[in-house]
Amino acid sequence: MKNLFLLLLAITCVAGAQARGLKGKTIYLNPGHGGYTTGDRPTATINHEYMDTLSFYETRSNLWKALETARHLKQDGAHVIMSRTRSGYVTQAQMEQGILNENQESHALPSQDKVDTRFNQVETARDEYGQQQIVGLERIACQVDSIKPDYFLSMHSNAHTNGSTVNYLLMLFRGETGKPYYENSDSMARVMWPYAFDNPLSTWSHYAADKPCVVGDISWMGGTPPGTPNRTGATGYYAVLKFNAPGFLVEGSFHTYDPERQRLLNPDYCRLEGLRYYRGIRAYFGGKPEKVGYLAGAVKSATEVMDHPRYTYREGSDDQWKPINGAMVYLLDSRGVTVRAYRTDGEWNGIFAFFGLKPGKYTLRYEARGYETMTEQVVVKADNTTYVLPKLEQKNATR
Ligand SMILES: [Zn+2]
């Protein structure tokens, strides 16, 4: 009897650290970047030019991801701290560079080496609702170091050369590969990996669900161990990771992969990524599964391949098919009643998503001008995202 008790105690102790769920846990989320400067990864897209605030900026996509992660974590009783909840904030240094630009009275397209602050405010301690908006990397690291959260996650997307078809998931922790400078920072990333990797709407070029790319920032970036210490005394490579708490930075995909960048313009596509991060964080703490399910997809042409200089896709992948803008997606329940509808955006991604669905059988109906209407049956499961990739046939033009 005593042995059994000890055995149970041992099991409880091993699992105990991670098996209590999210309630009361402090999670710090850092949506990477913050402003609309040249440092915030502006990239031209099919409909928008370089540095158009409607075009791609990591600032926007990272925030959409993080807000969704935060929403779920809070529902589960976690204490969530976000470095920022809005876009359009820059550091003092970035603002000063921008003021220099203003004084030059250059109202032409912003050049590559100047910072455009027309849409930015300098970071302040808090906004009018009392919410902080911090973007300075060392400031964030120092705050994390003083709060000592149970979990820190910085969200970004990665960059290669524009037009490159490289697109993979990458998780970086402070330290050397196999040697995190703060304990558990690599193991929490490994727990996250399979959840974050599960995105059939994208095309990965490297790695797999069971082959994670979880690496130390110094090893990955080629810095000299242990790196330069910051004000907290923490060493490493990435300024935002230099704190003494468990955490890592995720490069969710490559925004230089054209089809992926077009998808990242869709807030709901980014929310799906945020949802995957929530699942990864929850798994680490052994939290309870959600009762609702999710459904997402991309509406594309069955016959037309995409042909645009700003859309280099991976040969033979699903990304070759032309996404259909402005397609209507109707969600019908088992009685045939339309319960939701979604209009795909005009950004050449075909993305649609339905959040918080009651598990069960549904029918999806797709309608788009110039295409045959199509329906398909889907099953939505609790705590799962069902992904679909419908291909619509063109209507016969001679008819
Ligand atoms: Zn970034």
Side-chain angles (χ1 to χ4, degrees):
M1 194 62 193
K2 192 185 169 197
N3 284 345
L4 180 67
F5 174 75
L6 285 175
L7 181 69
L8 284 171
L9 186 72
I11 291 167
T12 313
C13 288
V14 168
Q18 298 175 10
R20 288 192 296 261
L22 283 161
K23 203 169 189 340
K25 294 290 186 302
T26 300
I27 318 288
Y28 193 110
L29 300 179
N30 163 230
H33 307 271
Y36 295 105
T37 74
T38 52
D40 297 311
R41 314 292 181 257
T43 318
T45 48
I46 291 177
N47 296 343
H48 314 284
E49 294 309 312
Y50 173 74
M51 292 218 49
D52 179 338
T53 52
L54 291 176
S55 194
F56 179 82
Y57 274 91
E58 260 195 69
T59 290
R60 297 201 304 156
S61 47
N62 294 336
L63 181 61
W64 291 329
K65 297 172 193 178
L67 287 172
E68 184 68 13
T69 311
R71 190 169 73 83
H72 295 270
L73 291 172
K74 285 177 193 168
Q75 273 173 6
D76 288 0
H79 175 47
V80 180
I81 298 163
M82 295 183 73
S83 52
R84 66 180 176 98
T85 56
R86 291 187 180 187
S87 294
Y89 286 83
V90 296
T91 60
Q92 189 69 46
Q94 285 172 313
M95 186 59 98
E96 278 158 16
Q97 273 181 277
I99 288 160
L100 203 74
N101 195 17
E102 286 266 302
N103 291 344
Q104 288 163 348
E105 288 187 11
S106 165
H107 295 291
L109 268 181
S111 66
Q112 296 269 348
D113 58 348
K114 292 292 191 295
V115 170
D116 184 346
T117 62
R118 282 175 298 174
F119 304 101
N120 292 324
Q121 301 178 61
V122 70
E123 63 175 352
T124 50
R126 292 176 193 284
D127 72 5
E128 66 269 35
Y129 298 107
Q131 166 66 46
Q132 67 176 10
Q133 305 295 333
I134 317 180
V135 290
L137 301 180
E138 187 166 354
R139 244 184 111 185
I140 292 166
C142 287
Q143 185 181 48
V144 174
D145 201 74
S146 65
I147 291 170
K148 300 267 191 282
D150 298 297
Y151 199 114
F152 168 92
L153 183 62
S154 179
M155 299 180 196
H156 286 260
S157 51
N158 213 336
H160 200 265
T161 53
N162 277 330
S164 151
T165 59
V166 167
N167 184 41
Y168 59 82
L169 179 64
L170 169 66
M171 294 177 185
L172 294 148
F173 57 84
R174 183 169 74 86
E176 298 154 61
T177 302
K179 188 182 164 190
Y181 290 174
Y182 194 87
E183 58 187 26
N184 289 333
S185 292
D186 58 346
S187 56
M188 62 209 304
R190 279 175 205 287
V191 170
M192 164 81 78
W193 180 273
Y195 295 93
F197 191 84
D198 180 26
N199 179 19
L201 302 183
S202 191
T203 302
W204 298 125
S205 61
H206 297 75
Y207 307 105
D210 58 353
K211 286 193 175 59
C213 186
V214 176
V215 292
D217 64 343
I218 286 193
S219 308
W220 187 259
M221 300 304 289
T224 311
T228 318
N230 70 350
R231 279 192 281 142
T232 72
T235 55
Y237 187 93
Y238 276 11
V240 76
L241 293 177
K242 289 186 183 179
F243 48 74
N244 294 292
F248 61 100
L249 181 151
V250 59
E251 303 273 17
S253 61
F254 276 67
H255 57 252
T256 42
Y257 178 45
D258 295 345
E260 183 68 5
R261 184 170 62 249
Q262 296 299 137
R263 286 188 278 268
L264 288 168
L265 292 178
N266 181 294
D268 291 321
Y269 181 73
C270 296
R271 288 176 65 199
L272 291 166
E273 187 175 325
L275 172 64
R276 292 192 292 273
Y277 294 151
Y278 153 72
R279 288 174 181 157
I281 297 169
R282 194 190 65 199
Y284 181 73
F285 293 109
K288 287 198 186 83
E290 288 190 305
K291 291 190 175 75
V292 293
Y294 303 81
L295 178 57
V299 188
K300 294 180 186 179
S301 170
T303 47
E304 305 152 278
V305 292
M306 191 65 179
D307 182 18
H308 193 281
R310 288 180 186 170
Y311 200 96
T312 304
Y313 52 81
R314 279 186 83 76
E315 286 296 331
S317 77
D318 195 78
D319 285 332
Q320 70 188 301
W321 304 112
K322 190 175 116 185
I324 302 177
N325 290 339
M328 284 306 302
V329 182
Y330 297 98
L331 183 69
L332 287 71
D333 68 12
S334 54
R335 294 170 301 153
V337 176
T338 303
V339 289
R340 303 269 185 102
Y342 195 105
R343 188 174 190 271
T344 62
D345 66 24
E347 303 290 357
W348 302 99
N349 53 56
I351 294 292
F352 69 91
F354 298 113
F355 291 75
L357 296 172
K358 210 173 115 183
K361 288 179 185 167
Y362 291 88
T363 301
L364 280 163
R365 191 170 81 242
Y366 309 103
E367 296 181 7
R369 186 180 295 194
Y371 296 87
E372 300 287 351
T373 294
M374 184 183 136
T375 61
E376 66 176 318
Q377 314 295 316
V378 286
V379 176
V380 172
K381 293 177 189 158
D383 201 38
N384 253 279
T385 305
T386 301
Y387 290 102
V388 287
L389 295 166
K391 303 288 184 297
L392 307 195
E393 296 287 344
Q394 280 179 281
K395 271 192 178 145
N396 191 339
T398 59
R399 204 161 36 179

